[in-house]
Amino acid sequence: MKMEQQEKEFRLNVTRRHFLTKAGLGMGGAALGGLLFKDQFIGAESQAAMQLGVAQFAPKAKRIIYLFQNGAPSQLETFDYKPLLNKMHGAELPASIRMGQRLTGMTSNQEKFPLVGSTFNFAQHGQSGAWVSELFPHMAAIVDDLCFIKTMHTEAINHDPALTFFQTGAQQGNRPSMGAWMSYGLGSENSNLPSYCVLLSRGRGNGQGVYSKLWTNGFLDSVHQGVVFSSGEDPVLYLNNPEGHDKQNRRDMLDMLAKFNAASFENIGDPEIKTRIQQYEMSYRMQSAVPELTDFSKESNSTIKLYGPDCLVPGTYAANCLLARKLSESGVRFVQLYHQGWDTHGNLEGDMRMQAEDVDRASAGLIKDLKQRGLLDETLIIWGGEFGRTNYCQGALTKDSYGRDHHPKCFSLWMAGGGTKPGTVYGETDEFGYNIVKDPVSVHDFHATVLHLMGINHEQLTYKHLGRRYRLTDIAGEVVQGVIA
Amino acid sequence: MMKQNQLHVHIIGSLLMLLQALMLVLCIVSLNDIPWWLKQLGHLHPVLLHLPIAFIFLLLPLSFIFKKDSDQERLFISYFLHYTALFATITALLGLLSASSNEYDPDILLKHKWLSISTALLSHLLIYIFQISHRKRSLWITAVSTTVTVMMVGSHFGGSLTHGEDYLNFDKEEKNTKAFMPLSDSTLIYQDLVQTVLINKCIECHNEKKMKGGLNLNSYASFQKGGKTGAAFAVGDPDQSLFIQRALLNIDDNKHMPPKGKMQLTQEELFLFKEWTKRNADTLLQFHQIDLKDTLHAILSKMVEVKSIENTAKVYPFSKAVDDNIQSLNSPFRRIMPVDINSPALVVKFYLKEKFSLQLLEECSPIAKQVIEINLSSMPADDAVFKHLSMFENLEKLNLNGTMISGKQLSSLKSNKHLSSIKLANTAVRANEIETLGTLPSLQSVYLWNSQVTSDEITLLQKKYSSIKWDIGYIPDEKELLKLTPPSTANAEKMILDPGELVQLKHPLPGAQIKYTTDGSVPDSSNGMIYTKPFNISGLTQINAIAVSDGWMSSNPSNFTYFLKGAKVDSAVLIHRPADRYKSNGSVALIDFNKGITTNLNLNWLGFRDETMKAGFYFSQPAVIKQAVLSIADNTYSYVFPPEKIIIKGGSNKSNLKVIGSFSPIQPKAQRNAGIIPITVQLIPGLYPFIEVEAINLQRLPPWHPGKKEKGWVFVDEVFFY
Amino acid sequence: MREKSVDQAIPDVVDFNFHVRPILSDRCFKCHGPDANKREANLRLDTEEGAFAALKDDPSRHVIVPGDPMASALYTRIVSSDTSEMMPPPSSNLALSKREIAILKKWIQQGAKYKKHWAFIAPVKSSVPDVDDDYNPRNEIDHFIFKKLEEVGLDPNEEAEKETLLKRVSMDITGLLPSIEMQEKFLSDQSPDAYEKIVDELLSSKHYGEKMAIPWMDLARYADSHGYQDDGYRTMWPWRDWVIHAFNQNYPYSTFITWQLAGDLLPNPTKEMLLATGFNRNHKITQEGGVIDEEYRIEYVTDRTNTFGKAFMSITLECAKCHDHKYDPVSQKDYYSMFAFFNQVPEKGLVGDIQLASPGDPPNMKITTEDVKTVMNFINKKDTSPVVVMVMKDSMGIRPTQLLRRGNYDQPADTVDMNTPTSILSFNTKKFEKNRLGLAKWMIDPKNPLTARVFVNRIWNEFFGKGLVKTVGDFGMQGELPSHPELLDWMSVDFMEKGWDIKRLVKMIVTSTTYRQSTKRTTDKLQTDPENKYLSYYPRLRLSAELQRDLILSAAGILNKEIGGPSVKPYQPKGVWESTTSGRGELAKYVQDKGDKLYRRGLYNFIKRTAPPPALLIMDASTRDQCEVTRSRTNTPLQALVLMNDPQILEAARVLAQNIANLQLTEKEKLKKLFQLILCRKPNDSEMEMLQQYYTQEKNRFNQNKIKAASFIKAGEYNQIKTKDLGETAALMQVNQLLFNLDETTVK
């Protein structure tokens, strides 16, 4: 019997460890019972091929900040320099290049496909000699910290499916998002904060909306759902105590609550009650952990200049970059930003200028800030959109304005820190910027690589749901060694 | 010629003195603070040691070769002796340097150390003995042979250190650790796993050759039989099983197994032993017989992984900490995580300022050995933190960003000889205080952004300690002037104020000043009022405001339009119907004080195109009305223009009206950004129970517009009367 | 602990369905299953022929030799230690446990009998087992349940306290708390059928339909917006009103689903039948300019097909969209044969982008005030303008359906005919016409093995928190096996025999002794039956998101019990819609409703798919993105924050406090009344003590700081009720907050 007891306890520890890290929940005797039981008795469905809550091998990156450029920035005006397009400006896209690639409803009935060169100048920068357009002077200044992938390609050609594909690994259906998988696989570092936070901003360019499906927990436990931080007075929904109610009221209420609940546990013995007590304690801690991070009033002048003055205006991209750093620094595994406004079907020049103005300084600032705090090597930054844009003009090509339609066959993004190879340019597109000629990287490959950097084998991070074992990388995905340091 | 030789011998002689002195010093003082490069030299020890051994062996034969008392003899031997002593000393020295690393059996090490040192001393002594002894050969021979013996014994221990204790028992085959076979369903728990662990960690002392404690683990039978103290395990009962009890003893207990200094059992291996014994120490038990959901299953898969990926993962000179220690230390305020599932190395992080106390750090002592990273960033930790840091002997990364430390105690980090990165951003540390870090053996990077250290000081440090990256981070360029963000209002979306309600402007940059105008002009250095406190408005007010501050470029102007609630309208009627898609909540929309927004014309707006906008307003107790203000939408991209003309009629009722005012707004000359425009129409002052407002939408869009010649839209969301 | 649990024993008679197939399915079918393309070594274990066949590379040996494990390659390979021989291959991350191997061995020894998957065999009534009368079985349910308990050596719990029971059954049937009157009536009524009387009263309440509608909304992925990123407004709410009506009218389940599937195809259909078909138009519809029309049209048909499979048959059809099903006997061809039924709608992938979006793309029906006055008076239409509702319609002439390679709309292959998987029930074209109506008839054919089982199981799941088949959405081979197969079959057959009578089914469940047990659990029960699979006690369940809201509002007496109508927009934190929208469309901005619309039941909360109501979502409500048949039941800190800080709940606490404060009662009586209103039982002494202690403490605090008290009781737009003593009111409000947050309050 004694052994039985020990035995049981040992298993408790194992499962406990497993669950706590898994759900990133608080410790302390009370909760354990609850969590444990939940885990042992209901967990059967969720058999993963790895032990949850801890990296499988030494992770290069501990945290991720994903600067998603929603609407799809044109690779041809950012990082993929194609002088040929300027030479052939106005000439028809050769059929041999297009090869019957399907088109969106916006250009499918267009009878001419005139090539357009970038109106912005490009130059090489840094040791790596990476090409960057004049729109991004601050990014250009740090190219040697960046790792460009020029050969991303995706399957979808419209925003909703493409975004959904990038965030969940599938164009349709309610699959868990990247951050949710991350939280499920690695748990949170700081149990007083959500392990997966979402920050939203809107640029001045043509916008495409976002939707909660992009940060959904899908069929995973809802503790893994992305928590949206709003620029309003409640940084996290329902976080603030009501008016006329202070920390002391709350503390006393929680204590009394615990007394009542403990009593009902005594005569019913339902472990869920204990879990519940613990959850209330956690919410209480969250109430002090979050405001500390969302208060920007004490930021130093040098920080403000690093991110740009609008970092003081809540809800701007710059403010979100700053907040992202603070969250990440306090142990949030996955911070997901979305910045709208890159959908440049027309008036590309004007829109791109405004968008670049909003993101260039802050994006570079974030990298520098992490670097100067010695956090860049353990934080993975990703900057990019859901697909690329066509090398031909959408609508009539006039001398002072042009636009580009959606293009899934090649586009650029960059990563920095977190074990990526700095000062790298990976992959090669053809001189038309239309097809990939070397080292293609699919969205699944991208996911596999990111998971790898976080110390997870993408084939083993699985969840069994309605009879099938699911993965972020679905049934594909190869780790791209070329971008790993 | 003789002279030269004398000189030569003297040089070696004094060098010898010096080195031996150094040698003696080194073996007394602790070896913690040798610089790493010296350590590297230590690696030459195994190479050099062969010289003195050879030389000393040669001594005896040599002393018989020469003609007795011949000059050649004296000359040659004294040379030879000097070099022997020299090599012996150097070898000993190097030995001492490399000895610090704790991977060796301490007592053997000790023996080797002293014997080798004596060898060096003796060989030195021989020089003098030779000089006085050439008459009494017996003395000379005894001296030499003692030296030889001491040397031989000493080097034997040396050999044992590197090649394992019994590498001179020629009958025994080379010992090396056995890797687990990859798990398969048929894996035999005893033979493939338990045995492997025993072979790797126990059998060295418990084999049929040397059965320490009478225990031989080579066969199941002899394992079960056990040793002096009885059976090694009790079938089915781990509690009563000796080999488990021993492993569970405190490491310092001399009954603890494996003994201190030897490779210890990991948590998993121990658990395997427990489980296997519990399952009746069954030799036939196979892996597939263990349920998937069984902890043992998980543990085993884990163990075997360890072996398979060990080579890729970083290997640490310590074994895993006790899981329960980690668990009991884990809390929402102190998070302890392994680097990865197989790594013994731990990372400790602290969260929640108000819960922090140094005690939280102090309590980590049980796992101090395993901790390679500590993160205290933004915790209220002061200089007192340093006295607790020394116990983390394997600490590699230390994050003190944003703590309250002064830097005075940084020198005490000396003992953390593996420290490779220290983060001091956002602290008060100064250059003179951080200099001490330069001497840390393994340090690679120091982060000093926003500390008291200036860039010039950094450059100096960087010169002085070039192997370390001294990072001062981003320093704003004073010359670079950035544009401030425009001022905002307390609640931007509220555009309609009650009489007496105040307008409040604000700017997020501390110390920024707001200048504003209400006359439509753009404020600048010369023009505009300085905002000090919320202010009152009378009627429709358009505010232009900019923010200014030294060291910054003044912001673009922001403009806010405020409507003041005017004369009370009792009800409104729509004389012309708005377009179906833009009918909002009907006539009420015009007087409900709900503003529309430019981005969403479906909401609160009434839109007219086929017909002009035409509505009537009833006043039960009319006050004198002097002007009317229409709030209209302006969005040229979606064909929404200011009205061509506004005609306002007034009178006692619908059927009895006269024109009391009219106005034709200026039309846009090109596409422009959407906005809300208030249009004021001056009226013949008077008491009007009923007022009719007609806004005629643009009948032909201007030629520059894509929709030229088409009708324009007119959108109205509110009408005010003053 | 696990070792001790009852499911570990190896049965004397190994049953293929219950013991063997789960193993084969989960560990072997991936490579040796129905999917022809992924099949290894041309060996399939899902059919008898395949399993008894000779080995391809060694015809002298066979995969399975009935009675002789050692001669059966299947067995020798799974016990093999040779990694090249071993099955499943180590690389697969799949392994067989000791128990599983033993079972397979025994099964082969016993002759390796194959059986059709249990769920594909039509259910038959087995005889009702006798059980000890001391357990006081009230109906057949109890007989089956107690029999099983006997077998596993557990006793059922005693009956729950009357108060608890009343709250439970009332929440379960109407989703509302029993009124104080009802409580008193029930507690004082000592007659043996007191409980039954209450049940009948509840079943006749018009709120029963609302309660039953909640899970149906998840299943039908009902929402008030079109979904996808430009998320325009849609008006499907009249369909929702119909569902409530249908439950209240207690339409037979057969009618209920026939109308929803094929109301439009019935001989001269009424408008009501037409409205019912809205079910199949609840899927998301894109308004993103520039999408490829066909790509999305296919997406809609796919959604209907998958929903059909999951909602009515609990079969994961979608797995066969891109390739033959890996586990269940559903080929890709089968999938598209089903697909064909739903592929006949005259619809477009994109009707208009968000700028010209309509609340109902064609085909649709207009519901006029006239209709509401006459044929459809269950629709709660507010204004005079007609409402557009999307409904089903088949185009003239049949649109040919092609199998789509890898499920891609632009890779059509062979044309397929409308049909159903024969493995379930072949589609007899003499009996069933080749359209959705035929499909509906096929569904409710007594020989259809799934329809009744699936529904009975889902209802069971509603009342016991877990289905007799735990995987409510998957009756396939990867799904869990029924914990009480005989009971499930008995109830399913009985359900059909009694004319698919839903209320009768519900009544049978709630009047059973099993349902009436207390929730107490002993360690022994926890160990023997960790999941409470065998129901030796009533599972304590947290109320669904909507019901928590309803409970609090009704306890506070401010619930607006109006039924149906356009969805409402109660309090919601700023920016939830605004921060996600592209800025286009009328749902770009959340315009909160006013007045009594704020106090409607959770069921009527406006659901914008791209930004669902956060308070509900945090409480595990469905996003309505696609058909969901179960909700997860989690326990998170965000939920605590909602219950503590949601203005809706604070307001409820305040109004209740003000009303109580004005009663002519002693302090003690007031607290007692609050407790009773919220928890539906009288507090015991220690609880009373704690309450008073808390109340006094808060009262003193607020008395010292009247300003705080004043701002505290500002909560909500509900008109302020004057009270004498500010401190008292604030303290009472605080007490309400405490009670609302009790664990007991939000569970049944």
Side-chain angles (χ1 to χ4, degrees), chain C residues 428-456:
Chain C
N428 176 348
T429 44
K430 289 184 201 60
K431 277 168 77 181
F432 316 124
E433 45 278 79
K434 269 198 194 170
N435 59 17
R436 281 178 285 112
L437 183 55
L439 186 61
K441 290 179 180 166
W442 176 84
M443 284 283 311
I444 59 174
D445 185 289
K447 282 197 217 57
N448 187 309
L450 290 167
T451 315
R453 276 194 183 119
V454 167
F455 185 71
V456 167

Side-chain angles (χ1 to χ4, degrees), chain B residues 342-389:
Chain B
N342 305 313
S343 171
L346 298 174
V347 177
V348 184
K349 304 193 170 195
F350 297 87
Y351 299 114
L352 231 56
K353 279 197 178 74
E354 64 265 41
K355 294 290 184 174
F356 179 79
S357 75
L358 283 173
Q359 195 192 348
L360 287 178
L361 182 60
E362 215 175 333
E363 290 163 354
C364 294
S365 49
I367 54 161
K369 196 180 175 59
Q370 284 79 10
V371 173
I372 60 150
E373 179 176 345
I374 296 178
N375 184 339
L376 287 155
S377 72
S378 73
M379 288 297 123
D382 55 17
D383 288 349
V385 78
F386 288 97
K387 68 170 180 294
H388 301 299
L389 288 174

Side-chain angles (χ1 to χ4, degrees), chain A residues 41 242 323 326 406:
Chain A
F41 301 157
L323 180 55
K326 292 172 132 199
H406 309 160

Side-chain angles (χ1 to χ4, degrees), chain B residues 549-611:
Chain B
S549 181
D550 316 352
W552 300 84
M553 233 185 284
S554 344
S555 75
N556 296 338
S558 51
N559 40 57
F560 316 106
T561 304
Y562 281 104
F563 298 88
L564 195 64
K565 289 181 180 171
K568 167 120 184 41
V569 182
D570 295 289
S571 67
V573 287
L574 289 173
I575 299 164
H576 289 165
R577 286 186 66 260
D580 261 355
R581 301 192 50 214
Y582 307 107
K583 55 179 186 317
S584 181
N585 50 346
S587 60
V588 196
L590 294 173
I591 53 170
D592 62 2
F593 298 129
N594 287 333
K595 290 294 302 169
I597 49 170
T598 50
T599 50
N600 184 356
L601 294 171
N602 297 80
L603 209 68
N604 294 326
W605 290 102
L606 297 182
F608 300 83
R609 186 175 190 178
D610 307 334
E611 285 188 287

Side-chain angles (χ1 to χ4, degrees), chain C residues 155-431:
Chain C
D155 290 341
N157 271 5
E158 74 294 344
E159 178 152 332
E161 307 279 330
K162 260 187 146 187
E163 297 95 330
T164 324
L165 191 53
L166 180 58
K167 178 186 174 187
R168 181 188 303 168
V169 71
S170 176
M171 288 310 299
D172 267 346
I173 296 181
T174 63
L176 298 176
L177 288 175
S179 62
I180 296 272
E181 304 68 54
M182 191 185 250
Q183 292 181 43
E184 268 139 22
K185 190 170 93 203
F186 180 55
L187 294 184
S188 54
D189 183 347
Q190 297 308 324
S191 61
D193 62 345
Y195 179 74
E196 192 173 349
K197 276 184 278 175
I198 285 293
V199 170
D200 291 331
E201 184 178 339
L202 289 166
L203 279 172
S204 61
S205 150
K206 58 191 189 327
H207 298 300
Y208 160 81
E210 292 180 307
K211 166 64 169 56
M212 297 294 282
I214 294 173
W216 199 259
M217 293 300 121
D218 284 4
L219 174 144
R221 69 269 189 255
Y222 168 88
D224 301 297
S225 74
H226 285 304
Y228 293 111
Q229 68 175 21
D230 289 315
D231 193 14
Y233 179 49
R234 68 163 52 166
T235 47
M236 292 301 288
W237 60 264
W239 173 83
R240 186 240 290 127
D241 287 5
W242 175 81
V243 173
I244 298 168
H245 169 72
F247 278 117
N248 279 335
Q249 295 305 303
N250 197 27
Y251 288 171
Y253 184 63
S254 48
T255 316
F256 186 59
I257 59 178
T258 306
W259 288 16
Q260 294 188 64
L261 273 174
D264 57 318
L265 299 175
L266 288 162
N268 42 43
T270 65
K271 285 199 161 185
E272 186 183 342
M273 296 173 182
L274 213 56
L275 175 58
T277 64
F279 175 89
N280 265 317
R281 298 297 307 284
N282 277 325
H283 57 77
K284 299 192 295 173
I285 294 178
T286 189
Q287 292 158 324
E288 178 177 343
V291 298
I292 296 170
D293 198 69
E294 183 65 358
E295 182 176 13
Y296 277 85
R297 194 191 64 79
I298 292 293
E299 199 45 55
Y300 307 154
V301 182
T302 308
D303 183 300
R304 281 175 211 134
T305 316
N306 300 348
T307 302
F308 176 80
K310 196 169 174 186
F312 301 125
M313 307 195 297
S314 287
I315 292 297
T316 55
L317 273 188
E318 61 264 38
C319 296
K321 184 192 173 195
C322 312
H323 49 72
D324 292 351
H325 201 292
K326 294 233 177 299
Y327 309 102
D328 296 334
V330 181
S331 68
Q332 196 180 4
K333 185 163 178 296
D334 290 334
Y335 181 85
Y336 286 96
S337 312
M338 293 283 243
F339 187 95
F341 287 105
F342 302 102
N343 193 22
Q344 308 305 327
V345 187
E347 64 187 331
K348 291 176 86 257
L350 176 69
V351 172
D353 74 9
I354 184 68
Q355 305 295 10
L356 12 136
S358 81
D361 291 345
N364 55 31
M365 72 188 285
K366 274 202 168 46
I367 295 171
T368 63
T369 314
E370 183 51 27
D371 301 326
V372 175
K373 286 217 192 69
T374 57
V375 286
M376 293 190 285
N377 49 15
F378 54 84
I379 296 177
N380 181 358
K381 194 159 81 68
K382 298 286 190 185
D383 55 11
T384 55
S385 51
V387 195
V388 182
V389 181
M390 295 185 281
V391 293
M392 288 296 274
K393 181 171 189 290
D394 282 4
S395 33
M396 296 293 115
I398 289 175
R399 177 192 277 126
T401 299
Q402 286 166 293
L403 183 149
L404 301 177
R405 260 186 245 95
R406 295 203 274 95
N408 293 339
Y409 76 96
D410 51 2
Q411 293 177 32
D414 332 0
T415 311
V416 299
D417 197 4
M418 294 187 202
N419 202 343
T420 59
T422 44
S423 50
I424 297 168
L425 173 65
S426 56
F427 194 77
N428 176 348
T429 44
K430 289 184 201 60
K431 277 168 77 181

Side-chain angles (χ1 to χ4, degrees), chain B residues 184 186 288-289 581 599-600, chain C residues 81 86 96-98 101 355 583:
Chain B
S184 77
S186 59
H288 70 71
Q289 296 170 299
R581 301 192 50 214
T599 50
N600 184 356
Chain C
S81 54
M86 183 191 316
L96 294 169
S97 74
K98 171 188 183 183
I101 290 179
Q355 305 295 10

Side-chain angles (χ1 to χ4, degrees), chain C residues 549-562:
Chain C
R549 173 194 165 90
D550 298 350
L551 178 141
I552 287 168
L553 293 189
S554 61
I558 58 175
L559 182 71
N560 170 357
K561 294 188 177 171
E562 178 183 351

